[in-house]
């Protein structure tokens, strides 16, 4: 494959995943207490299918578009979104895609078990960054302190079951799609 063709393929795939992540923010599955979207599925798939570098670029492109003012985040867009306690999850999506991709790309044909492992490490990255940012913003910027137990309950326990299901779905899709994308 020529260098130009490879570059074009990378740009198309990163753009496609940035768009899928934006769409995923608006596909809301009604569950009590915590809003559940498909953003994590597409950020996770970006890491698995595109690898660490391109997965990270795809998610960062999505974040840049939202910070530039397009309402692609679950609750709008604009530079002031950085002040939202949930912005840490967006940062986590980017680093989670990188980590997931880094693990998966180490194997020529990763097994389902490797893909699940990569997804769970990425998921823990997303939640760790999201919860730390949420706590810092709540406690020090918004002046609405949140304790460790409520933080863990609302920002992890109530939200994570759906994302665990998305990890399984992503690994299943990845097992099928990784070889297909490598052939392109």
């Amino acid at each position: 494959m020529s260098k130009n063709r490879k570059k074009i393929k990378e740009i198309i795939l990163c753009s496609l995943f940035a768009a899928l992540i934006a769409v995923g923010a608006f596909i809301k599955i009604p569950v009590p207490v915590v809003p559940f979207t498909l953003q994590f599925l597409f950020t996770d798939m970006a890491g698995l299918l595109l690898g660490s570098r391109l997965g990270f670029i795809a998610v960062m492109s999505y974040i840049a578009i939202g910070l530039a003012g397009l309402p692609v985040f679950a609750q709008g867009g604009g530079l002031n979104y950085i002040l939202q306690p949930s912005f840490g999850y967006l940062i986590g999506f980017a680093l989670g895609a990188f980590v997931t991709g880094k693990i998966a790309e180490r194997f020529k044909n990763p097994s389902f078990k490797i893909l699940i492992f990569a997804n769970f490490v990425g998921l823990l990255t997303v939640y760790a960054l999201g919860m730390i940012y949420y706590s810092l913003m709540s406690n020090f910027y918004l002046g609405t302190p949140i304790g460790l137990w409520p933080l863990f309950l609302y920002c992890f326990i109530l939200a994570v079951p759906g994302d665990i299901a998305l990890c399984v779905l992503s690994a299943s899709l990845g097992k099928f799609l990784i070889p297909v994308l490598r052939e392109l």
Side-chain angles (χ1 to χ4, degrees):
M1 178 183 311
S2 74
K3 199 171 192 172
N4 282 343
R5 182 179 157 117
K6 183 180 178 196
K7 203 57 137 170
I8 291 169
K9 175 186 165 189
E10 290 177 351
I11 291 169
I12 290 170
L13 288 172
C14 285
S15 300
L16 172 66
F17 272 93
L20 286 170
I21 297 163
V23 169
F26 295 100
I27 299 174
K28 295 180 179 167
I29 298 168
V31 293
V33 184
V34 179
F36 179 72
T37 70
L38 294 184
Q39 282 176 297
F40 175 70
L41 173 66
F42 294 120
T43 60
D44 196 40
M45 292 297 298
L48 286 183
L49 299 178
L50 305 182
S52 58
R53 183 180 69 83
L54 294 178
F56 180 79
I57 290 170
V59 179
M60 287 304 295
S61 297
Y62 161 73
I63 292 170
I65 290 166
L67 291 177
L70 289 174
V72 296
F73 299 144
Q75 298 172 353
L79 200 52
N80 63 340
Y81 208 83
I82 292 172
L83 302 175
Q84 295 284 331
S86 61
F87 185 74
Y89 290 95
L90 295 175
I91 297 166
F93 286 156
L95 291 177
F98 180 84
V99 169
T100 300
K102 201 57 145 168
I103 295 169
E105 70 192 8
R106 296 179 74 201
F107 301 89
K108 183 177 180 174
N109 188 17
S111 66
F112 179 79
K113 194 183 285 190
I114 294 295
L115 295 177
I116 277 285
F117 174 74
N119 289 347
F120 282 135
V121 173
L123 180 67
L124 289 175
T125 302
V126 170
Y127 275 91
L129 288 166
M131 290 171 63
I132 289 167
Y133 195 90
Y134 193 98
S135 178
L136 291 172
M137 290 303 291
S138 293
N139 290 321
F140 299 109
Y141 175 71
L142 297 175
T144 55
I146 186 167
L148 284 178
W149 171 244
L151 177 72
F152 189 68
L153 176 64
Y154 291 110
C155 296
F156 184 76
I157 292 176
L158 294 175
V160 80
D163 287 335
I164 290 172
L166 292 179
C167 283
V168 174
L169 176 60
S170 176
S172 300
L173 292 170
K175 186 68 183 136
F176 171 74
L177 292 173
I178 289 171
V180 171
L181 268 179
R182 289 185 179 163
E183 293 294 318
L184 292 178

